[in-house]
Amino acid sequence: MTFDLYVWKSPRDLDADRAEDLIGRWNDAGGDPARSPFEPSADVGWFNRELAKDEPGLETSSDAEPNPDTAPIWLSARSERPARVVGIRLARATSRDTLDTIFGLAAKYDLVVFDTRSRRVHLPLEALAAHAGATFWPAGAIQAAVAGGVGALIAVVAWLLGIPLISGLVALIGGFLVVMAAFTFVRAGRRALSSRRGRGESPPGR
């Protein structure tokens, strides 16, 4: 039985042809999820559990064990067992919100999504990271700069007040904001540099 979407953890370095061939040979052999050619991961188990909870009307197939726990995911005391794959069948009436849920959960657990309809391999988490990097300048940079400036001001004022314990804690919070702002700029700068190198562009000053 074939599905519209297949979700797994690894391997990740597959193009559409290789993914299609892998799934085709597996389906020809019976299509048993427990015998699928993907690496088992607890992330797939968690994805399957959350998807079943958020979108109970979806038709899915997986080697993940059903979890009867009705408590919220964040309160769960039971860890999910590793699973290999989740196959998802989409209907014409499948809403955009449902697709957003699928890809959002795939990003949350850093999974691979293969869309057999468009023959595309998606890495939702990497796509989100790339989008965040592309949209960091200038709005994100301004926000990071403001946060860093406020943090520095808080730290200086707290230090000058010299109130025992309280000043130390407030200064620590301000210092944390400064460090996080600096880290944000460094990380965004590295992404921008990597992106330019990937496109064959030389970094500034070269």
Side-chain angles (χ1 to χ4, degrees):
M1 179 182 293
T2 59
F3 290 85
D4 299 297
L5 301 178
Y6 290 90
V7 182
W8 67 83
K9 184 72 172 182
S10 181
R12 306 177 64 82
D13 57 343
L14 299 177
D15 58 20
D17 290 335
R18 292 176 61 193
E20 195 171 57
D21 179 65
L22 201 65
I23 292 173
R25 287 188 281 111
W26 163 47
N27 281 327
D28 290 342
D32 180 1
R35 297 180 179 274
S36 63
F38 308 109
E39 295 297 324
S41 169
D43 287 335
V44 177
W46 280 111
F47 170 87
N48 183 73
R49 179 179 174 185
E50 286 207 51
L51 185 63
K53 202 175 191 66
D54 294 343
E55 300 291 342
L58 275 179
E59 181 182 351
T60 64
S61 176
S62 178
D63 56 321
E65 294 186 3
N67 191 324
D69 191 355
T70 58
I73 299 297
W74 59 277
L75 286 177
S76 177
R78 171 187 166 184
S79 178
E80 290 299 310
R81 292 191 177 183
R84 295 176 180 271
V85 66
V86 178
I88 304 168
R89 189 180 301 283
L90 303 177
R92 289 186 178 181
T94 300
S95 68
R96 181 67 192 181
D97 287 344
T98 297
L99 290 174
D100 287 344
T101 297
I102 294 170
F103 280 83
L105 288 174
K108 177 180 179 179
Y109 293 107
D110 193 13
L111 303 177
V112 181
V113 180
F114 179 55
D115 188 337
T116 62
R117 305 164 304 169
S118 62
R119 297 188 69 252
R120 290 186 61 187
V121 177
H122 300 271
L123 298 171
L125 182 59
E126 293 185 12
L128 283 176
H131 176 73
T135 57
F136 177 74
W137 306 98
I142 293 173
Q143 292 175 2
V146 170
V150 170
L153 180 63
I154 290 174
V156 171
V157 171
W159 181 262
L160 292 175
L161 288 177
I163 302 174
L165 185 60
I166 295 178
S167 290
L169 290 175
V170 174
L172 184 63
I173 294 172
F176 175 77
L177 289 175
V178 173
V179 171
M180 291 305 298
F183 174 78
T184 300
F185 273 106
V186 170
R187 188 175 183 184
R190 286 178 175 174
R191 284 179 177 171
L193 183 59
S194 298
S195 177
R196 288 186 177 183
R197 286 176 175 172
R199 296 195 302 265
E201 299 179 14
S202 296
R206 292 191 181 181

